[in-house]
Amino acid sequence: LRTHVPPFPTSEARELVQRELGRDLSEIFSEFPDEPVASASIAQVYRARLRAGGAEVAVKVQRPNLEQALLSDLDVLMQVSRFVDRLVPAYHRSMVHQVAAEYATRARTEIDFVVEAQAMRRFAGVLAALPEFRIPKVHLELCTPRLLVMEWLDGALLDLVENADGLRSHGMDPCGFSRSMLRLQLGMSYEHGFVHGDTHPGNVILMPSGQIGLVDFGLHGEVPRWLCDRMLELLSYQSAGRTDDAVDTFLEIFS
């Protein structure tokens, strides 16, 4: 979950950007650094500047040969999981194979950056009632399945903040920050049914404006409306101590 994976050479990243966009790098960017600002298992990110308009952008470049390696690993995972599911009753009863299958599906989607760009644009609707949050604007004309170009958000990663005093030093009230994150989770899960599935501290930015920036929408999910309603009903029953009603609703969800 952390952006501390050894980077691949920038020369390869530059070649990929040019190949994906079909143009020389200098035609698109007036500045493109020699080193990435972050490097993770799927991609690494560069802080660059667009030639047209001069905006600072984050350029997310997928690792070379990632798709081939990932699909091969997922095939092995599913073969082993199917084999164990047939032989081990406890594995089958726990529905671990279904979890593995869902993981494999999500992992395949996560490496398509056009899907991620579309998710970011759609997520703007989730944040319409939450002005304390901010997501980067996407330059969709510069996005491909292996390349994502978006607005650069200034700020400190929550990953680097150690305690409540650290939050205060970045202008964040700890209680207010916690309430905002809770409102975000409730709004995603119960109101909109469109969920950022990766809101760990490495994807949360404390911005100088006082807003909370969200990045990395590769892992996202959609919750059907009927399930949102049932989950909200279940939460209400649990909060009110109506245990029998909560159990009945839980069984309805899985029936």
Side-chain angles (χ1 to χ4, degrees):
L1 299 179
R2 301 167 72 91
T3 54
H4 303 321
V5 178
F8 60 90
T10 294
S11 58
E12 295 183 25
R14 291 173 183 269
E15 289 175 9
L16 187 145
V17 173
Q18 293 181 150
R19 187 165 60 250
E20 290 293 299
L21 297 178
R23 286 184 280 168
D24 189 86
L25 203 70
S26 61
E27 295 180 27
I28 306 164
F29 303 101
S30 59
E31 298 175 17
F32 196 96
D34 293 329
E35 299 293 335
V37 294
S39 181
S41 55
I42 289 179
Q44 59 194 36
V45 177
Y46 292 86
R47 182 175 184 172
R49 188 177 298 277
L50 292 177
R51 184 164 295 282
E56 272 198 312
V57 290
V59 182
K60 184 176 179 179
V61 185
Q62 192 173 112
R63 285 186 170 270
N65 305 315
L66 175 70
E67 184 175 6
Q68 180 181 355
L70 177 65
L71 294 180
S72 176
D73 288 347
L74 290 176
D75 285 342
V76 172
L77 170 69
M78 295 311 301
Q79 289 175 27
V80 172
S81 181
R82 279 192 292 268
F83 179 74
V84 176
D85 193 60
R86 289 195 298 267
L87 294 182
V88 182
Y91 189 92
H92 180 76
R93 286 195 303 271
S94 300
M95 300 188 294
V96 179
H97 181 64
Q98 286 93 321
V99 174
E102 178 68 14
Y103 168 77
T105 299
R106 295 298 175 187
R108 290 185 176 95
T109 301
E110 194 172 1
I111 63 174
D112 186 339
F113 291 171
V114 172
V115 173
E116 180 176 353
Q118 292 169 342
M120 292 175 68
R121 299 184 77 183
R122 181 177 173 187
F123 206 79
V126 177
L127 299 184
L130 296 170
E132 66 266 41
F133 288 94
R134 172 90 176 273
I135 60 174
K137 297 176 183 177
V138 180
H139 294 268
L140 201 56
E141 73 283 0
L142 297 177
C143 296
T144 74
R146 302 181 65 195
L147 178 68
L148 179 61
V149 180
M150 60 193 136
E151 176 188 11
W152 177 269
L153 296 186
D154 273 319
L157 283 179
L158 181 60
D159 193 31
L160 303 177
V161 177
E162 297 182 354
N163 49 39
D165 286 338
L167 280 173
R168 293 188 187 96
S169 71
H170 290 285
M172 293 282 176
D173 169 60
C175 290
F177 176 80
S178 299
R179 283 194 295 269
S180 292
M181 294 302 295
L182 178 60
R183 281 197 297 268
L184 174 68
Q185 299 297 333
L186 293 175
M188 291 191 301
S189 302
Y190 302 120
E191 182 179 359
H192 297 277
F194 192 63
V195 179
H196 185 311
D198 223 5
T199 51
H200 62 77
N203 289 335
V204 178
I205 299 174
L206 308 178
M207 301 178 64
S209 64
Q211 289 180 296
I212 303 168
L214 298 175
V215 295
D216 196 350
F217 287 75
L219 190 62
H220 60 273
E222 192 158 0
V223 184
R225 183 69 260 168
W226 71 266
L227 183 54
C228 287
D229 294 339
R230 284 291 177 270
M231 288 169 58
L232 189 57
E233 190 176 316
L234 177 62
L235 182 65
S236 175
Y237 287 147
Q238 289 176 320
S239 299
R242 296 169 57 178
T243 307
D244 290 344
D245 290 329
V247 171
D248 289 341
T249 301
F250 182 83
L251 293 175
E252 284 182 27
I253 291 174
F254 289 96
S255 64

